[in-house]
């Protein structure tokens, strides 16, 4: 018998599960049964796609046995099984990169977060909430024929040994039949969890959580027969199928209730919460396929990780093909969970074929359009509900659902504006922005469409400002000139806005203009004669400021937008990247030259006005005018000490 230490993160996780988390132990059975279903799915696919597995007699089932006397529950499948390497990789290590985040989140409020189990790829370990020890007996299909035994009490280590096929335990689980593969998970219940070794408890949990598993689940139990005086007269061993074992997505929508959809979602997603929304579609015609998509209530933990896991499973004629193909939906819809089941794809389709398959491409395009249509309907329903004077509970529910969608998925949806050119106009109707107009619907979020409805008759463009902090953007002095004329400005504080919005360029007939870029102030209708007069009057002052700042700025000019209380601001040339874009490019390892802003100064401000008549402090004033403008714009100063020195020089005078 070989002894192994658990990976550090597994060790931390087990301690949390065993000592801290008891609020919803019921889900451990759901997780183990779901793993058994996955093992059957994998073997089912291999028997039709891989020559090495085609001679295996595949009779899929999951069997659950229990012993009240011993306090054990065993879940056995005849699926793909595991060898020694698989046991080490799957049960001794958590490969998912989000596990550390899960542990941190669980640690912060362990008693309330049991529904996170499984979301982070740690479903097997949930059994330690109810177990004092777990034994796994397994043999891999088409492998070396060895039966392996994994055992742990959930502390610091686990043991692995080979057992004889015809040993007592090998015979008990059918491994004396040398063609049988699969796994038996034997859970030795702790003292607080003995009630799980019960026919009624197990049957209730299977019907609640796993009724829609596509393989039959059989419960083995001993039935006692009684006489009219309540005495046991005989016992008999019974085996009952306790789940419906039908593919839910193939059933008619009229036969399904919201509870059916919700429980199936929890089975395939390992999420403990009900979904925010679901879309069930059956298409017939030149191609026949079924899709069932879910929108989670909260964003998946790995949504912004490069190695995010696809949430969509592909089936062909109800045969599982893959759950690891990111091509099934575009990346900006990576938060979607669900099923695609095609009647037309070949069963032995490979990943390479999938990437070029026209049938799958058609399904993908139709699925994207259907999802975008649903998102748009959700937003429209919420907007209509928001203007009702006395909203009903249903109206409030629509607004709450949409608010959750925007909070969690607005940012990835914006990626589609840049990456999905075919559907950019549909996506533009869905995404939302904060705004200087506080009447925007949906918790002060607004759409392009609502913005256009509020535009002034003489307004020529949709105005926006980009940055990384909403509070700073709202305080930016550039906004005042636009809001003073009644022009609404969209507040774009997502790091991705600087990429997607300039690429989109126009919404319908209206150009999108960034107020913190040079040239947008041309629409403000300033007095040209007065502007030219001031430019001549302050020409020498501007030159002196430029000489002081040198290569730090591209240009120094008088501002047409600043109001009396602000002496300076910076804007970026229309041909240059923004500061946010520059930081993103550098973070990706690209070499980007230093950005030179355009410094705009306010001729009506006393600081600038005094420079015209007295330039003795121009060196320090120029530094302060630029640095304070940079700070207001949210740009990190390259040399804070120089700013402090210039400020102290001015204060001392």
């Amino acid at each position: 018998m070989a002894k192994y230490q658990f990976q550090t993160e597994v060790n931390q996780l087990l301690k949390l599960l065993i000592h801290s988390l008891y609020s919803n132990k019921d889900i451990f059975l759901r997780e183990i049964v779901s793993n058994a279903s996955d093992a059957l799915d994998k073997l089912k696919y291999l028997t039709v796609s891989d020559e090495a597995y085609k001679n295996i007699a595949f009779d899929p089932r999951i069997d659950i046995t229990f012993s009240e006397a011993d306090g054990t529950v065993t879940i056995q499948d005849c699926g793909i099984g595991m060898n020694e390497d698989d046991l080490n990789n799957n049960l001794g290590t958590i490969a998912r990169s989000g596990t550390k985040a899960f542990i941190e989140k669980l640690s912060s409020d362990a008693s309330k977060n049991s529904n996170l189990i499984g979301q982070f790829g740690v479903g097997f370990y949930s059994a330690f909430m109810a177990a004092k020890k777990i034994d796994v007996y397994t043999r891999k299909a088409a492998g070396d024929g060895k039966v392996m035994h994994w055992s742990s009490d959930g502390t610091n280590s686990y043991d692995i040994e080979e057992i004889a096929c015809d040993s007592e335990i090998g015979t008990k689980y059918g491994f004396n039949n040398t063609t049988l593969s699969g796994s038996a998970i034997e859970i030795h219940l702790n003292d607080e969890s003995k009630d799980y070794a019960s026919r009624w408890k197990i049957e209730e949990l299977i019907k609640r959580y796993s009724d829609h598993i596509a393989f039959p689940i059989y419960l083995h139990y001993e039935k006692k027969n009684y006489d009219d005086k309540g005495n046991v007269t005989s016992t008999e061993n019974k085996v009952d199928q306790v789940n419906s074992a039908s593919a839910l997505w193939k059933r008619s929508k009229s036969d399904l209730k919201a509870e059916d959809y919700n429980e199936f979602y929890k089975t395939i997603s390992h999420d403990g919460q009900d979904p925010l929304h679901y879309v069930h579609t059956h298409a017939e015609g030149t191609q026949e396929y079924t899709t069932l998509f879910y929108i989670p209530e909260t964003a998946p933990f790995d949504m912004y990780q490069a190695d995010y896991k696809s949430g969509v499973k592909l089936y062909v004629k109800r045969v599982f093909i893959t759950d690891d193909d990111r091509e099934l939906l575009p990346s900006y819809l990576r938060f979607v969970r669900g099923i695609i089941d095609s009647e037309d794809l070949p069963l032995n389709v490979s990943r390479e074929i999938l990437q070029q398959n026209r049938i799958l491409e058609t399904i993908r395009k139709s699925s994207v359009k259907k999802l975008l249509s649903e998102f748009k309907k959700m937003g429209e329903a919420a907007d209509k509900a928001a203007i009702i004077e006395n909203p009903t509970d249903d109206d409030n529910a629509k607004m709450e659902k949409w608010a959750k969608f925007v909070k969690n998925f607005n940012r990835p949806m914006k990626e589609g504006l840049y990456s999905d050119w075919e559907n950019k106009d549909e996506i533009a109707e869905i995404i939302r922005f904060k705004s200087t107009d506080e009447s925007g619907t949906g918790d002060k979020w607004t759409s392009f469409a609502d913005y256009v409805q509020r535009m002034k008759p003489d307004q020529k463009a949709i105005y926006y400002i980009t940055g990384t902090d909403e509070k700073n953007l709202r305080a930016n002095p550039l906004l005042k000139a636009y809001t003073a004329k009644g022009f609404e400005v969209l507040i774009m504080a997502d790091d991705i806005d600087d990429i997607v919005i300039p690429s989109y360029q126009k919404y319908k007939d209206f150009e999108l203009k960034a107020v913190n870029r040079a040239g947008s102030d041309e629409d403000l209708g300033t007095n040209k004669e007065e502007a030219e007069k001031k430019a001549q009057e302050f020409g020498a002052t501007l030159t002196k400021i430029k000489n002081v700042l040198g290569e730090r700025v591209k240009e120094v000019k008088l501002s047409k937008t600043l109001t009396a209380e602000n002496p300076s601001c910076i804007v970026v040339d229309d041909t240059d990247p923004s500061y946010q874009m520059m930081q993103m490019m550098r973070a990706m390892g690209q070499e980007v030259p230093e950005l030179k802003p355009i410094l705009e100064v306010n001729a009506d401000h006393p600081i600038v006005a005094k420079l015209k008549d007295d330039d003795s402090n121009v060196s320090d004033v120029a530094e302060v005018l630029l640095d304070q403008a940079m700070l207001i714009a949210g740009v990190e100063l390259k040399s804070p000490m120089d700013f402090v020195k210039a400020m102290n020089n001015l204060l001392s005078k």
Side-chain angles (χ1 to χ4, degrees), residues 310-536:
S310 169
V312 178
K313 298 173 183 281
L314 175 65
Y315 286 77
V316 174
K317 300 180 180 71
R318 291 166 299 288
V319 176
F320 172 78
I321 303 299
T322 182
D323 60 357
D324 192 28
D325 191 339
R326 300 187 189 182
E327 301 301 316
L328 297 176
L329 286 177
S331 62
Y332 69 91
L333 294 176
R334 57 188 175 274
F335 55 87
V336 175
R337 271 63 184 123
I339 302 288
I340 295 175
D341 190 351
S342 170
E343 296 293 323
D344 304 307
L345 283 167
L347 281 171
N348 62 346
V349 63
S350 67
R351 179 167 296 185
E352 291 74 21
I353 293 173
L354 281 177
Q355 292 174 352
Q356 305 169 21
N357 191 279
R358 290 184 180 179
I359 295 172
L360 197 60
E361 181 61 25
T362 300
I363 295 173
R364 171 185 156 119
K365 286 184 177 180
S366 299
S367 297
V368 169
K369 290 189 180 297
K370 181 64 178 176
L371 285 166
L372 295 181
S373 173
E374 285 293 317
F375 300 160
K376 184 179 178 182
K377 288 178 186 175
M378 287 168 60
E380 289 173 344
D383 289 345
K384 287 179 182 177
I387 60 176
I388 295 174
E389 189 172 341
N390 297 305
T392 64
D393 289 344
D394 184 52
D395 294 325
N396 288 326
K398 290 175 181 176
M399 289 188 284
E400 184 180 355
K401 176 191 279 193
W402 183 243
K404 288 179 179 178
F405 180 89
V406 173
K407 176 185 175 183
N408 288 296
F409 309 121
N410 197 47
R411 188 192 180 283
M413 287 300 299
K414 287 180 181 178
E415 295 174 23
L417 205 61
Y418 176 81
S419 61
D420 188 354
W421 201 246
E422 182 180 346
N423 294 301
K424 61 182 175 64
D425 292 330
E426 287 80 2
I427 296 169
E429 301 295 347
I430 297 166
I431 56 177
R432 297 292 189 263
F433 306 95
K434 293 295 180 71
S435 164
T436 56
D437 183 276
E438 294 301 322
S439 66
T441 58
D443 191 25
K444 299 180 182 178
W445 290 90
T446 190
S447 63
F448 280 134
D450 288 337
Y451 179 103
V452 167
Q453 286 187 339
R454 294 191 294 267
M455 284 176 63
K456 299 296 179 184
D458 59 338
Q459 189 172 338
K460 300 175 183 178
I462 295 173
Y463 299 109
Y464 68 92
I465 185 169
T466 58
T468 56
D469 182 84
E470 182 184 343
K471 186 177 179 181
N472 278 350
L473 289 178
R474 289 188 180 278
N476 194 300
L478 288 167
L479 297 186
K480 293 188 177 180
Y482 293 86
T483 55
K485 290 184 70 70
F487 293 165
E488 181 179 352
V489 181
L490 298 177
I491 308 294
M492 300 190 181
D494 277 337
D495 54 0
I496 198 171
D497 289 330
D498 266 314
I499 298 175
V500 301
I501 301 303
S503 70
Y504 184 57
Q505 296 181 343
K506 291 185 73 173
Y507 172 76
K508 296 185 176 178
D509 296 327
F510 300 98
E511 186 180 353
L512 274 61
K513 284 192 175 184
V515 302
N516 49 352
R517 281 194 174 273
S520 62
D521 56 5
E522 298 297 329
D523 298 343
L524 294 176
T526 52
N527 187 314
K528 289 187 177 181
E529 290 184 7
E530 185 179 340
E532 289 175 3
K533 180 181 177 182
K534 281 188 177 180
Q536 290 178 350

Side-chain angles (χ1 to χ4, degrees), residues 113-180:
N113 285 312
S114 60
N115 61 354
L116 295 171
I117 290 174
Q119 266 184 289
F120 292 80
V122 295
F124 170 80
Y125 304 98
S126 66
F128 280 105
M129 288 192 294
K132 60 185 178 184
K133 180 186 176 186
I134 297 177
D135 290 300
V136 178
Y137 303 96
T138 184
R139 178 199 277 146
K140 188 160 187 175
D144 55 17
K146 294 180 180 178
V147 179
M148 304 305 298
H149 173 210
W150 180 98
S151 181
S152 177
D153 60 4
T155 52
N156 297 315
S157 62
Y158 60 93
D159 299 314
I160 295 179
E161 64 176 340
E162 182 184 353
I163 63 170
C165 300
D166 58 355
S167 64
E168 181 181 351
I169 199 73
T171 302
K172 176 182 177 181
Y173 292 118
F175 292 121
N176 55 339
N177 175 355
T178 55
T179 63
L180 181 71

Side-chain angles (χ1 to χ4, degrees), residues 14 45 90 107-108 113 192 268 293 303 397 642:
L14 292 174
Y45 173 56
N90 297 336
S107 303
S108 65
N113 285 312
E192 296 84 8
I268 65 169
F293 295 124
M303 189 165 70
D642 288 343

Side-chain angles (χ1 to χ4, degrees), residues 208-326:
R208 188 196 309 172
Y209 292 122
S210 306
D211 190 55
H212 305 299
I213 292 291
F215 305 105
I217 301 173
Y218 294 101
L219 179 60
H220 300 244
Y221 62 95
E222 187 181 74
K223 182 181 179 183
K224 296 178 180 179
N225 299 312
Y226 300 86
D227 60 19
D228 56 0
K229 295 180 181 179
N231 298 316
V232 177
T233 58
S234 63
T235 60
E236 57 181 316
N237 292 324
K238 299 276 289 182
V239 181
D240 290 343
Q241 183 174 331
V242 288
N243 70 321
S244 61
S246 62
L248 177 137
W249 63 90
K250 298 298 289 184
R251 292 164 59 186
S252 170
K253 287 186 278 187
S254 60
D255 295 337
L256 297 169
K257 299 177 182 178
E259 293 82 1
D260 299 321
Y261 283 111
N262 291 346
E263 291 306 327
F264 182 67
Y265 165 74
K266 292 171 185 175
T267 299
I268 65 169
S269 68
H270 303 289
D271 191 347
Q273 299 173 296
D274 289 339
L276 187 67
H277 192 70
Y278 57 83
V279 187
H280 191 182
T281 304
H282 182 69
E284 294 180 325
T286 54
Q287 291 182 22
E288 185 178 352
Y289 61 89
T290 301
T291 59
L292 175 55
F293 295 124
Y294 290 95
I295 313 305
E297 183 159 311
T298 55
F301 80 96
D302 59 352
M303 189 165 70
Y304 295 115
Q305 293 180 1
D307 61 344
Y308 73 89
K309 182 173 174 58
S310 169
V312 178
K313 298 173 183 281
L314 175 65
Y315 286 77
V316 174
K317 300 180 180 71
R318 291 166 299 288
V319 176
F320 172 78
I321 303 299
T322 182
D323 60 357
D324 192 28
D325 191 339
R326 300 187 189 182

Side-chain angles (χ1 to χ4, degrees), residues 499 577-597 630 635-638:
I499 298 175
S578 67
Y579 278 98
Q580 290 73 35
M581 175 76 81
M582 183 182 71
Q583 289 171 354
M584 289 175 67
M585 293 169 72
R586 284 179 174 170
M588 292 186 289
Q590 299 184 33
E591 290 189 16
V592 184
E594 199 65 39
L595 183 61
K596 297 179 183 179
M630 300 270 278
V635 179
E636 186 178 346
L637 297 184
K638 201 167 186 181

Side-chain angles (χ1 to χ4, degrees), residues 534 537-538 541-542 545 558 564 566-568 601-615 621 625:
K534 281 188 177 180
E537 188 178 345
F538 282 84
T541 304
L542 298 179
I545 295 173
L558 292 182
N566 297 112
S568 63
V601 296
N602 182 4
D604 296 326
H605 195 279
I607 292 177
V608 180
K610 286 180 181 179
L611 279 182
K612 183 167 66 75
D613 302 317
D614 179 9
D615 61 5
V621 170
L625 287 174

